[in-house]
Amino acid sequence: MSYIIVFRYLRAVCVLALGLGTWLVAAPLDSAAPLQVTLPPSGQQLATDLALEGWLVTSWNSRIALHSSEGFRGPSQSAVTDAFQVFPRPRVTVTSPLRSVPFGSAIHQAAQRYRLDSSLVAAIVEVESGFDARVVSSAGALGLMQVMPDIAGEHGGDPFDPAVNLDVGTRYFSQLLRQFGGDVQLALAAYNAGPTTVERYGKVPPYRETRAFVRKVLTIYERRNQGSAPAMIVAENSLAR
């Protein structure tokens, strides 16, 4: 009976020894395995990710119209395709007739503000002042559009400031255009000789300076726009009348 107990005891010892040996062999292998440490992203990586995100948002917003006269419309398939091009195709730009004109951008903005043809306004400026923002006429007219001091005073700004002068001049010309029913020649004549004089004659006054002014403005306009008529209603009124 004692032999059986001894045998069981030895067997248990062997099992424990075998398990301990197995653990001792495996332990160095586990400790030698590299630890998987997750490091926070670097500043450069964050900057790159933010730049990519910003480019995607800007690219998407610049190519998809969110609203139309019929309400919201989802992006078309072509819009979605173009939005995520890595190297977008260059857009075709239309050359503005005022691109090479001094103060062209300011002239265009003032004309758009009062719904005037920007090329016609540029022609008025060219004839009136030759694009000289500091010029003063013998009659006291000031700046690019040669506005009179009383008219410039209503604005309250510096009449020699191109933006102020153009705003005053285009607003005044738009008023004359409405006063004379959209007749560009009469409005130009009134800009030069005054609306009262034009109303008195009922046509372009028979003044050499006024007729020359109207003819020069329209000639410059037609040359710049290759012979097209002003984008306004032009009543039948000939300089020869």
Side-chain angles (χ1 to χ4, degrees):
M1 193 70 178
S2 60
Y3 291 105
I4 295 175
I5 294 174
V6 172
F7 176 75
R8 290 179 177 176
Y9 176 76
L10 291 174
R11 185 176 63 179
V13 171
C14 290
V15 170
L16 290 174
L18 182 60
L20 180 60
T22 303
W23 179 80
L24 290 175
V25 172
L29 295 177
D30 294 338
S31 62
L35 297 178
Q36 299 295 329
V37 180
T38 303
L39 298 177
S42 64
Q44 182 178 2
Q45 181 64 40
L46 286 175
T48 302
D49 293 344
L50 290 174
L52 178 59
E53 180 182 0
W55 178 84
L56 290 174
V57 171
T58 303
S59 178
W60 176 269
N61 291 338
S62 64
R63 288 169 170 80
I64 300 176
L66 297 181
H67 296 279
S68 66
S69 58
E70 300 176 355
F72 175 79
R73 292 189 301 180
S76 63
Q77 183 61 37
S78 60
V80 174
T81 302
D82 292 341
F84 293 100
Q85 289 181 338
V86 178
F87 299 102
R89 294 187 297 271
R91 298 181 180 181
V92 178
T93 57
V94 179
T95 302
S96 170
L98 302 184
R99 181 177 297 275
S100 60
V101 173
F103 305 103
S105 178
I107 292 173
H108 179 73
Q109 292 177 13
Q112 292 297 305
R113 189 178 304 123
Y114 296 102
R115 298 184 178 182
L116 298 175
D117 189 321
S118 58
S119 294
L120 183 60
V121 175
I124 296 174
V125 174
E126 183 172 351
V127 174
E128 285 284 10
S129 65
F131 301 105
D132 185 352
R134 307 296 302 181
V135 67
V136 179
S137 73
S138 57
L142 310 172
L144 289 174
M145 296 193 72
Q146 290 291 276
V147 296
M148 297 303 294
D150 56 337
I151 298 176
E154 297 176 0
H155 188 284
D158 180 6
F160 292 109
D161 182 336
V164 173
N165 194 283
L166 290 169
D167 184 80
V168 174
T170 52
R171 180 177 58 185
Y172 179 57
F173 183 72
S174 68
Q175 293 171 355
L176 294 175
L177 195 62
R178 289 194 299 270
Q179 180 176 346
F180 291 99
D183 189 313
V184 176
Q185 293 185 13
L186 290 183
L188 289 172
Y191 194 87
N192 178 265
T196 303
T197 302
V198 175
E199 288 178 343
R200 183 169 67 250
Y201 283 95
K203 62 179 181 179
V204 176
Y207 302 155
R208 181 178 300 177
E209 177 187 346
T210 301
R211 294 195 171 210
F213 172 79
V214 174
R215 187 175 292 107
K216 287 178 182 179
V217 170
L218 294 179
T219 299
I220 292 173
Y221 175 88
E222 292 172 359
R223 182 175 69 245
R224 183 169 289 125
N225 290 272
Q226 299 179 349
S228 59
M232 307 172 189
I233 301 174
V234 182
E236 293 184 358
N237 178 67
S238 172
L239 291 175
R241 281 175 52 183

